[in-house]
């Protein structure tokens, strides 16, 4: 009897939902079940759960279908991959709830009361936007202790906050948004592959002017499994620049100086990451050039950067530089190949000033921790049955040793 009543209630909830939960899904088979469980077990039953399977190639689609058969509130949509921004926007247009919230398929809600708490607070205080504290989740531990640059992740007290006093840009998924408000203000996610979230969040906050804050955690963000920025494509880096520029223009237009400076600080960190990526033979030099323009631009020049195009000749030169760096990185991550290349070069242009003769077939010599094997050396390069011209490689090894480097990297600095 209780199960039948619950099913009837869920059917009614789907027709008149109080909250629409939007979940974009792409290759998250390891985490999707935990995410869906945290949503379907919410004490606020009058919800619809719009899941957009954005062209997953793993078992995410199967898992979604299984859950959809068990819970009528789940709307399962399968489509070709078009990016997370497209999936969220499509779901927003399909939503019926008075409020909408967004959760990524590898994250989850910290409590079964989360949506009820958010909805009740938004309704009671007639807030267009209502949200709580953000948290990181790693190996069973929820963390709410963040560095100063993430000052806006938590709230000490419940109550309204004016956005002109807040001026923060991250952690948008811990908030509930009035659906009609978003549609009337035309607030959607830009079609970027990176940094689309801050643009959406800042636009919504500027339009709403204030939001209702809760001191409890309303979102758990899983960390530790994301791809390194070293694996990002050129499109990722370029889109991130677009997002940064969008936020800078919004901040300047609405005189949000704190947000403007915060975004420049983020740009510095991103430039550091990108520099490291380029030194690994990846990333995009063109994007680094644009970041430099963003960071060095004066206030009145920011708007012009949106339409500024990099000359084709300069773009081609960037590509050539990038190709050279990629090749150099390949050599640096393959010390033996680099050793052979240097040997050939010096053999053609210089005399042998120093030679180490190895008499056994598999004798080795170690230079600053680098082991060289005689059997790897092309006999056409050496003379005298196993001679090695090691001076060039010795000098190179000494340079690496003295600079505390490694063969996998030629430079770059780390940043959080």
């Amino acid at each position: 009897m209780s199960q039948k009543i619950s099913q009837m209630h869920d059917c009614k909830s789907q027709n008149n939902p109080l909250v629409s939960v939007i979940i974009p899904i792409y290759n998250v088979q390891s985490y999707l079940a935990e995410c869906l469980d945290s949503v379907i077990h919410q004490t606020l039953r009058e919800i619809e759960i719009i899941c957009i399977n954005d062209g997953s190639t793993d078992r995410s689609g199967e898992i979604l279908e299984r859950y959809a058969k068990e819970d009528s509130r789940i709307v399962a949509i399968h489509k070709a991959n078009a990016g997370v921004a497209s999936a969220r926007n499509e779901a927003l247009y399909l939503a019926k709830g008075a409020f909408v919230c967004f959760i990524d398929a590898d994250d989850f809600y910290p409590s079964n009361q989360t949506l009820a708490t958010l909805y009740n607070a938004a309704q009671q205080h007639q807030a267009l936007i209502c949200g709580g504290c953000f948290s990181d989740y790693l190996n069973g531990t929820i963390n709410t202790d963040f560095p100063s640059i993430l000052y806006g992740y938590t709230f000490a007290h419940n109550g309204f906050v004016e956005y002109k006093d807040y001026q923060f840009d991250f952690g948008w998924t811990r908030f509930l948004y009035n659906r009609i408000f978003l549609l009337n203000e035309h607030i959607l996610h830009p079609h970027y592959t990176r940094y689309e979230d801050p643009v959406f969040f800042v636009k919504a906050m500027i339009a709403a002017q204030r939001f209702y804050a809760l001191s409890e955690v309303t979102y758990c963000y899983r960390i530790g499994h994301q791809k390194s920025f070293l694996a990002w494509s050129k499109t990722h880096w370029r889109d991130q620049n677009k997002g940064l520029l969008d936020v800078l223009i919004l901040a300047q237009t609405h005189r949000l100086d704190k947000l403007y400076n915060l975004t420049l600080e983020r740009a510095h960190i991103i430039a550091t990451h990108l520099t490291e990526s380029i030194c690994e033979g990846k990333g995009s030099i063109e994007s680094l050039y644009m970041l430099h323009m963003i960071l060095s631009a004066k206030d009145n020049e920011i708007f012009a950067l949106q339409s500024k195009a990099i000359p084709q000749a300069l773009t081609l030169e960037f590509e050539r530089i990038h190709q050279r760096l990629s090749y150099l990185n390949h050599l640096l991550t393959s010390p033996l190949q680099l050793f052979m290349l240097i040997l050939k070069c010096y053999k053609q242009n210089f005399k042998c000033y120093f030679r180490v003769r190895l008499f056994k077939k598999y004798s080795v010599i170690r230079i600053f921790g680098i082991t060289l094997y005689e059997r790897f050396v092309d006999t056409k390069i050496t003379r005298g049955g196993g001679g090695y011209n090691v001076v060039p490689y010795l000098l190179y090894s000494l340079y690496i040793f003295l600079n505390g480097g490694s063969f996998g990297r030629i430079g770059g600095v780390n940043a959080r």
Side-chain angles (χ1 to χ4, degrees), residues 206-265:
I206 289 174
Q209 298 185 26
R210 66 174 187 168
F211 63 94
Y212 194 84
L214 298 171
S215 59
E216 66 181 81
V217 174
T218 56
Y219 196 85
C220 288
Y221 176 74
R222 191 186 303 272
I223 61 175
H225 67 290
Q226 290 86 352
K227 290 183 179 180
S228 166
F229 61 85
L230 294 176
W232 286 13
S233 68
K234 291 182 180 180
T235 300
H236 291 153
W237 290 111
R238 290 170 185 167
D239 284 354
Q240 185 154 244
N241 285 349
K242 293 176 184 177
L244 283 166
L245 198 54
D246 286 350
V247 175
L248 284 172
I249 290 175
L250 286 167
Q252 189 178 73
T253 301
H254 297 275
R255 299 183 179 180
L256 301 172
D257 294 340
K258 186 177 180 181
L259 175 63
Y260 189 92
N261 292 328
L262 175 64
T263 305
L264 286 181
E265 187 174 357

Side-chain angles (χ1 to χ4, degrees), residues 4 24 49 51-52 62 68 88 93 104 108 139 164 195 249 261 272 310-311 351 358 380 387 394 403:
K4 185 177 294 185
I49 308 164
C51 300
I52 308 288
E62 300 174 24
R88 289 170 181 155
Y93 282 123
D104 290 337
F108 59 93
N139 298 330
K164 62 181 178 61
Y195 221 83
I249 290 175
N261 292 328
T272 298
I310 298 176
K351 296 179 179 180
L358 305 176
K380 294 180 180 179
L394 176 64
N403 285 276

Side-chain angles (χ1 to χ4, degrees), residues 269-329:
I269 295 174
I270 292 168
T272 298
H273 286 325
L274 181 51
T275 300
E276 184 172 349
S277 182
I278 290 171
C279 289
E280 292 283 356
K282 303 170 185 176
S284 169
I285 296 179
E286 180 181 343
S287 294
L288 185 61
Y289 175 78
M290 180 57 70
L291 266 176
H292 171 71
M293 293 175 66
I294 291 174
L295 290 168
S296 60
K298 297 178 181 179
D299 288 351
N300 59 351
E301 297 174 337
I302 287 294
F303 288 89
L305 291 180
Q306 271 194 323
S307 58
K308 189 174 183 62
I310 298 176
Q312 184 178 7
L314 187 57
T315 301
L316 292 175
E317 183 59 30
F318 284 154
E319 187 62 31
R320 283 193 289 269
I321 293 171
H322 196 189
Q323 288 174 356
R324 292 170 190 146
L325 280 171
S326 298
Y327 178 61
L328 178 59
N329 176 70

Side-chain angles (χ1 to χ4, degrees), residues 80-130:
N81 181 262
V84 65
S86 174
R88 289 170 181 155
N89 291 341
E90 180 177 340
L92 179 58
Y93 282 123
L94 294 173
K96 302 174 183 175
F99 289 86
V100 295
C101 59
F102 302 83
I103 180 171
D104 290 337
D106 50 351
D107 302 330
F108 59 93
Y109 289 125
S111 164
N112 291 345
Q113 301 285 337
T114 297
L115 290 183
T117 301
L118 287 168
Y119 175 78
N120 290 335
Q123 279 289 88
Q124 180 182 351
H125 300 284
Q126 298 183 352
L128 294 175
I129 302 176
C130 178

